[in-house]
Amino acid sequence: MAALPHVLAAPKDAAPILQLCFRPGYGARDFREVITVTRRDGIPGERFGTAPWVRLADGSGDPRIQVSILPLRVMDLVWRDRIGTPHPGDTIVADLDMTEENLPVGTLLQAGTAVLRVSDLFNDACVKWKLRYGADAKAWVTLPGHPALRLRGMLCSVEQDGEMRLGDRLSRIR
């Protein structure tokens, strides 16, 4: 809780992409310089295509979970054992204010040549988050008033195919 003011002081816009993580399977992480995204497949080759955690009625992956973005300041707080504990697995890590106030549902973000749309689906910190980073880290995300802060990050759909590169800026499209 003491770190909350620091987390909420993150830049409001135009934050550089600091990490790009490709997830080919459960627990697998491949850090890349470039990731391609498409409206149809999200991140081609990622587990979203075969094992999405949210599905549409037809069994396909829900586009609202195609890309996950984690605030750098939260990652730095919870991911303390960087050798013995897996990376959270979010596609993008950026030092960005991800609160609903700053980035309301539906906000379009330019990410390299791709365009992402902020999802209405709340990232509530799954059981893996609790196991890896502790019960307090999980509870912190869901405390009253905290869901709107998106401390666990935010989920996005791909609105325009493109490539995202390390150092590209996540910027609101006005």
Side-chain angles (χ1 to χ4, degrees), residues 15-21 31 67-76 79 82 87-96 98 152 166-168 170:
I17 294 173
L18 302 170
Q19 288 183 359
L20 286 171
C21 180
F31 297 97
V67 174
S68 60
I69 307 173
L70 179 64
L72 172 69
R73 296 172 191 218
V74 172
M75 183 182 78
D76 287 346
W79 190 34
R82 297 202 175 194
H87 179 274
D90 297 87
T91 312
I92 298 171
V93 174
D95 190 18
L96 181 65
M98 295 184 200
R152 176 56 189 93
L166 285 180
D168 283 346
L170 285 175

Side-chain angles (χ1 to χ4, degrees), residues 38-99:
T38 68
R39 285 181 61 119
R40 192 182 116 211
D41 297 321
I43 301 169
E46 241 196 21
R47 70 173 188 214
F48 173 80
T50 57
W53 58 274
V54 179
R55 295 176 186 268
L56 298 175
D58 67 3
S60 64
D62 188 324
R64 297 177 300 167
I65 66 167
Q66 289 175 321
V67 174
S68 60
I69 307 173
L70 179 64
L72 172 69
R73 296 172 191 218
V74 172
M75 183 182 78
D76 287 346
L77 283 171
V78 301
W79 190 34
R80 296 183 181 264
D81 177 5
R82 297 202 175 194
I83 295 171
T85 306
H87 179 274
D90 297 87
T91 312
I92 298 171
V93 174
D95 190 18
L96 181 65
D97 174 350
M98 295 184 200
T99 62

Side-chain angles (χ1 to χ4, degrees), residues 140-157:
W140 186 57
V141 169
T142 57
L143 283 172
H146 283 198
L149 303 179
R150 292 192 186 118
L151 298 171
R152 176 56 189 93
M154 63 186 181
L155 301 164
C156 298
S157 61

